[in-house]
Amino acid sequence: MDDRMMKAVLYDRYGGPDVLYVGRVPRPEPGPGEVLVKVRAFSVNGGELSARSGRLRLLLGRRFPKRVGLDFTGEVAAHGAGVTRFAPGDRVWGVLGRTSGFGSAAEYVTVPEERVGPLPDGLDPVDAAALPVATTAVTALRDKAGLRPGERLLVRGAAGGVGNAAVQLGRAYGAKVTGLARAANLGLVRELGAHEAVDHRSVRPADLGRFDVVLDTVGTDLRAFRGLLNPGGRMVTIAFDLSRPVTSLGYIACSALHGRGRVRFFSGDPRRADLDVLARHVAEGALRPVVDRVFPLEETAAAHRALEAGGVRGKYVVRVAAE
């Protein structure tokens, strides 16, 4: 078999999960400042679903084939000139940057050195693939919201990939955490540290009380949840309403100028320092991976289908290669 080629998950047109297939593409070579990672596992993220379905076609264009996969765990296979922190065989994890796009759903991926961190000792690489997205929760709570001990935190989508990490970290940061999730996942949300877990389908936002920080991972009904903020409260969202993108993004922008409590929107773009913080939280026992199900690489389409169906408990992870 030609070792200059590798397996990767591709799609040749926008559409549902069935457009995904495993094909063969040239194996990348690391350039200056880059590491080549042999991928062990990656997780499926909501942004990939939007990209694959065509909702982001104005940004992504119509050049095919396109790739999927945003985060990864694995081992360094080689590195380019100027790399000093990593050597072949090092166990690592990371997230591709905004300019890199998708592509970790493959046997190998090249990544700038600053996008890679050492995998915490004792952490299985398949389980660990559920965690790089937790850098988004760290940024949301620590940097964007400035969450303080004793404050009331509401996490919307508390059983999902970012949400479950936010529940764990909110508790570790000393907040009183309320998690909104499906009824079937309320036990998990409590287990992860929420002081209160509420079925999002059984209560109106107005009945939830007041909060100092609201972290939204859903993107709908932002006005209603913004109305729950105490004076001086902060709301952070990592999503917007894809059924009404212009209206939703417009509301987020206007919130900075009108009414109580600005809605801060951001898209995660983690670097080494963020991954190091994540590793420290894992080492301290404040954060653990939550894996709903593991799929083989050939069933990446099934993993996308499962995430689209809703109700995920943590993350869907795809195993690329065994250790």
Side-chain angles (χ1 to χ4, degrees):
M1 185 176 293
D2 188 350
D3 61 5
R4 294 172 299 179
M5 303 295 287
M6 69 173 185
K7 292 180 180 179
V9 180
L10 311 168
Y11 60 102
D12 296 328
R13 67 185 189 280
Y14 293 121
D18 291 342
V19 302
L20 297 177
Y21 66 95
V22 177
R24 297 190 67 79
V25 300
R27 172 176 157 172
E29 294 294 333
E34 292 184 333
V35 295
L36 175 69
V37 177
K38 181 177 177 61
V39 179
R40 296 300 180 187
F42 63 91
S43 74
V44 180
N45 297 281
E48 298 173 71
L49 306 188
S50 298
R52 187 216 68 231
S53 68
R55 290 174 175 169
L56 304 179
R57 70 183 69 198
L58 293 179
L59 294 175
L60 300 178
R62 292 186 172 277
R63 186 175 179 179
F64 295 99
K66 295 188 184 298
R67 305 272 295 273
V68 296
L70 183 63
D71 49 36
F72 60 87
T73 62
E75 296 90 42
V76 174
H79 61 74
V83 172
T84 59
R85 286 175 53 93
F86 299 101
D90 288 349
R91 300 167 77 243
V92 295
W93 60 2
V95 181
L96 301 182
R98 290 175 184 160
T99 57
S100 302
F102 301 107
S104 65
E107 291 181 301
Y108 292 89
V109 65
T110 52
V111 195
E113 182 183 22
E114 67 268 16
R115 300 282 183 180
V116 178
L119 192 69
D121 292 338
L123 201 56
D124 178 85
V126 175
D127 290 340
L131 279 178
V133 71
T135 54
T136 299
V138 172
T139 301
L141 298 180
R142 182 194 63 185
D143 303 332
K144 302 297 182 178
L147 182 67
R148 298 185 290 268
E151 290 191 314
R152 293 198 70 203
L153 166 67
L154 175 66
V155 179
R156 220 180 149 207
V162 175
N164 88 79
V167 169
Q168 297 180 69
L169 294 172
R171 182 67 180 251
Y173 294 163
K176 184 176 181 181
V177 183
T178 297
L180 284 179
R182 291 190 177 194
N185 293 335
L186 297 183
L188 170 66
V189 174
R190 295 189 189 96
E191 178 188 335
L192 294 175
H195 297 82
E196 185 179 15
V198 180
D199 178 3
H200 72 93
R201 290 174 294 191
S202 69
V203 64
R204 299 179 306 165
D207 296 331
L208 290 168
R210 296 289 180 182
F211 298 89
D212 301 294
V213 174
V214 174
L215 173 57
D216 173 80
T217 70
V218 180
T220 59
D221 301 322
L222 297 181
R223 187 186 303 273
F225 285 93
R226 181 190 181 196
L228 306 183
L229 293 175
N230 284 322
R234 293 86 69 200
M235 180 171 173
V236 180
T237 182
I238 61 169
F240 58 90
D241 190 345
L242 289 171
S243 67
R244 300 185 304 155
V246 174
T247 300
S248 183
L249 289 171
Y251 174 74
I252 292 170
C254 288
S255 76
L257 303 175
H258 303 286
R260 185 185 67 212
R262 175 182 176 184
V263 180
R264 298 166 174 85
F265 171 76
F266 80 102
S267 175
D269 193 31
R271 296 180 181 271
R272 183 194 307 149
D274 302 299
L275 293 164
D276 290 345
V277 169
L278 208 64
R280 186 171 70 247
H281 286 315
V282 172
E284 294 170 348
L287 182 66
R288 65 175 176 86
V290 180
V291 177
D292 189 311
R293 182 179 169 189
V294 179
F295 297 80
L297 183 67
E298 290 73 18
E299 295 181 15
T300 300
H304 273 233
R305 195 174 298 113
L307 186 59
E308 284 188 342
V312 62
R313 294 165 58 90
K315 295 288 286 182
Y316 292 122
V317 170
V318 177
R319 180 189 285 111
V320 179
E323 283 194 289

